[in-house]
Amino acid sequence: AAAAAAAAGGGAFVIPYLTVYAVLPVSVLFLFAFSAASHRMSRAALFNTILVGFMAFFGGFALVLYPNADVLHPHALADQMQQVLPQGLAGFVGMLRNWTFTLFFCMAELWGDVCMGLLFWGLANEITNLSDAATLYPLFGLGANLAQALAGLVLKATTCRAASEFGLALQLSMGAVIIIAGIAIALQQHIANEAEAKRRHSRQRRNSSQPMSIAESASWSSSSSSSSIETADPAAAAAEVAADRLREASERK
């Protein structure tokens, strides 16, 4: 948003147009694309595909789109539109003029929502048992808050430079994002493999437990009955012994 507002033909009036006429349509299109892809791809493949797509865009923006923004932006067309359209649509014209910055703003907004809202919680719901959810989900929320604090430190380390070095700061920031995304893909693959190994082991244990035959069931039932008789209540047995002794004493009298 700062790049779109500070660029030529931009300003603070561009930000509402970015939110309504850029982020909202892109979010809706992404939602439909994600829904369609989820029916055709596994969760792990969809996770990796989305992150690789974000990595490719952020890398391409830092290395190609931003350095060549002046060549790619249609300033002449935007100037003509600004002369024809009403002054109230100046933000819309500025959004189209700096279309690479608009696209970057949309992808940056989707990055947080998609990675946290869809990918992370989708992975958490798949690998977390219902009995462990009460313990693990608060820890997930705590980890998300800590991650935001660490992201602030990383952003501060990569952007504390002069205004003339904004391109270099952008490349460092996008490099950090790409590295973190690569780590996320590796962790997701490791967690998915561990969860699949546990599910396979559980299926093998269920398959190895064979049902008992009728003869074995009858033998087990009779042995259980005899053992339950032998292990009767000790208090009741002591009471019976005492009653027998009282009867013998009364008969001798």
Side-chain angles (χ1 to χ4, degrees):
F13 54 85
V14 179
I15 297 177
Y17 285 89
L18 290 175
T19 305
V20 177
Y21 298 105
V23 175
L24 181 60
V26 170
S27 300
V28 173
L29 291 176
F30 182 87
L31 179 62
F32 282 108
F34 181 86
S35 178
S38 62
H39 291 85
R40 294 172 174 83
M41 303 172 64
S42 64
R43 188 207 54 77
L46 186 59
F47 186 100
N48 295 337
T49 301
I50 291 175
L51 282 190
V52 169
F54 275 105
M55 293 167 65
F57 173 79
F58 289 138
F61 180 84
L63 297 176
V64 179
L65 294 181
Y66 182 79
N68 300 289
D70 291 335
V71 178
L72 296 174
H73 291 170
H75 294 291
L77 178 61
D79 291 337
Q80 296 176 1
M81 293 177 62
Q82 198 164 6
Q83 294 176 359
V84 175
L85 295 177
Q87 185 65 27
L89 295 178
F92 181 76
V93 175
M95 182 184 70
L96 296 180
R97 178 194 300 269
N98 303 300
W99 66 270
T100 59
F101 300 156
T102 300
L103 184 60
F104 178 80
F105 180 77
C106 294
M107 294 297 289
E109 288 291 319
L110 284 178
W111 169 253
D113 296 336
V114 169
C115 293
M116 179 59 68
L118 292 177
L119 300 183
F120 174 77
W121 289 115
L123 175 63
N125 292 335
E126 181 176 343
I127 65 174
T128 304
N129 297 326
L130 184 60
S131 58
D132 298 333
T135 303
L136 294 179
Y137 275 43
L139 297 178
F140 293 157
L142 179 61
N145 293 329
L146 292 177
Q148 292 179 357
L150 293 177
L153 296 177
V154 173
L155 186 62
K156 181 180 178 181
T158 55
T159 57
C160 288
R161 299 177 180 275
S164 59
E165 298 180 348
F166 180 78
L168 178 60
L170 177 67
Q171 292 177 355
L172 292 177
S173 299
M174 294 303 99
V177 171
I178 291 173
I179 292 174
I180 293 172
I183 295 174
I185 291 176
L187 288 176
Q188 184 274 148
Q189 190 63 39
H190 174 72
I191 293 172
N193 292 338
E194 290 291 330
E196 181 61 26
K198 290 181 179 179
R199 286 193 293 267
R200 190 183 304 111
H201 180 67
S202 179
R203 287 194 299 265
Q204 291 176 354
R205 289 184 60 184
R206 287 196 302 268
N207 294 333
S208 62
S209 58
Q210 299 294 334
M212 292 186 296
S213 62
I214 297 177
E216 292 174 345
S217 299
S219 175
W220 180 84
S221 178
S222 61
S223 62
S224 299
S225 300
S226 61
S227 61
S228 62
I229 293 174
E230 292 174 356
T231 59
D233 188 4
E240 292 179 1
V241 172
D244 292 339
R245 290 180 178 177
L246 287 175
R247 282 196 298 270
E248 291 177 358
S250 62
E251 289 176 358
R252 283 197 293 270
K253 290 180 180 180

